[in-house]
Amino acid sequence: MALDPARFIDDNTRVRSAPLTPELRFHLADEALPVWEMTEEALGRIGLPPPFWAFAWAGGQALARYLLDNPEVVGGKRALDFACGCAIAGIAAARAGAARVEASEIDPFAVAAARANAALNNVTIAAEETDLVGADRGWDVVLAGDVFYEAPAGGRIADWLAGLHARGATVLIGDPGRAFLPKDRLEPLARYDAPAGRDLEDRDVRLARVWRFRG
């Protein structure tokens, strides 16, 4: 029988809030390693990427907090939560009054988590399993949290986001200092101290910033 991602998420997470967004709730795991190992065992595949969907990462938390505090950024607009993970940024955008929120991921578990978390918060997001890098569906606002952790992919994503910015989209990046963040092309909008577990990060609290492209 094929594994049901929604059932797996329900069985291996608990509902709680992220530190920077106490008004929102998510299906989150307590520790990275157990849910990671259970995912590999359930799917019969070793070497899977970490279950990014099971945690509220610092960059996504920063984006969400920024949108909740500045709802005019997305109010009445069409937004994309790119590489959404648990969809914390997209859910915050919906709560802040976005007219439509889309969310994308290449992991079916993340898509299931995004849908489950949206339901928890009584908002609607259109989550789909797809790689949208290079695409342009006319979004007004594009949100990208914690996406610059690999060199080749990071450069490709940065060029795509820069192109969306150049044609007039509001592109917001949430990042706590990932190695491949293109800082030379960005300027900071806000900063937040985001609590982070040491099994996920290398410290208990990360300084996360919301960035936008210059010009």
Side-chain angles (χ1 to χ4, degrees), residues 19 23 29 44-45 55 83 90 100-101 107 110 120 132 136 138 145-146 155 157 160 181 189 194 197 204 206:
E23 59 267 69
R45 293 167 54 198
F55 304 94
R100 175 177 170 83
V101 179
D107 180 352
L120 266 181
L132 286 178
D136 187 351
D146 293 283
I157 291 168
W160 170 60
L181 178 73
L189 287 176
D204 292 324
R206 295 215 62 145

Side-chain angles (χ1 to χ4, degrees), residues 4-208:
D4 177 7
R7 176 66 180 271
F8 182 87
I9 291 164
D10 192 53
D11 288 345
N12 294 286
T13 62
R14 62 188 179 96
V15 173
R16 64 185 192 274
S17 296
L20 292 184
T21 57
E23 59 267 69
L24 303 178
R25 299 187 302 155
F26 305 92
H27 293 274
L28 301 175
D30 292 315
E31 298 179 69
L33 187 58
V35 71
W36 191 351
E37 290 177 338
M38 284 185 286
T39 305
E40 291 186 326
E41 181 180 353
L43 294 177
R45 293 167 54 198
I46 303 301
L48 292 173
F52 296 113
W53 55 266
F55 304 94
W57 298 84
Q61 287 193 55
L63 276 175
R65 185 72 263 158
Y66 183 79
L67 295 175
L68 292 169
D69 291 342
N70 300 275
E72 70 280 359
V73 174
V74 290
K77 298 176 182 177
R78 183 180 175 191
L80 168 69
D81 185 359
F82 168 70
C84 65
C86 71
I88 188 170
I91 289 167
R95 181 68 70 85
R100 175 177 170 83
V101 179
E102 298 173 31
S104 70
E105 260 289 357
I106 58 174
D107 180 352
F109 283 82
V111 173
R115 291 170 179 164
N117 291 332
L120 266 181
N121 291 281
N122 298 311
V123 299
T124 300
I125 63 173
E128 62 178 299
E129 182 186 350
T130 187
D131 181 359
L132 286 178
V133 177
D136 187 351
R137 297 179 180 173
W139 306 289
D140 304 301
V141 181
V142 177
L143 311 167
D146 293 283
V147 298
F148 292 106
Y149 52 87
E150 291 180 349
R156 184 167 156 254
I157 291 168
D159 289 343
W160 170 60
L161 293 176
L164 294 173
H165 165 77
R167 68 94 168 136
T170 297
V171 177
L172 299 178
I173 296 167
D175 192 277
R178 303 295 177 203
F180 302 103
L181 178 73
K183 284 187 180 180
D184 58 329
R185 305 167 74 173
L186 305 173
E187 60 184 10
L189 287 176
R191 54 179 285 168
Y192 304 90
D193 289 329
R198 283 190 176 270
D199 63 331
L200 296 176
E201 305 280 9
D202 57 358
R203 66 202 73 177
D204 292 324
V205 177
R206 295 215 62 145
L207 172 61

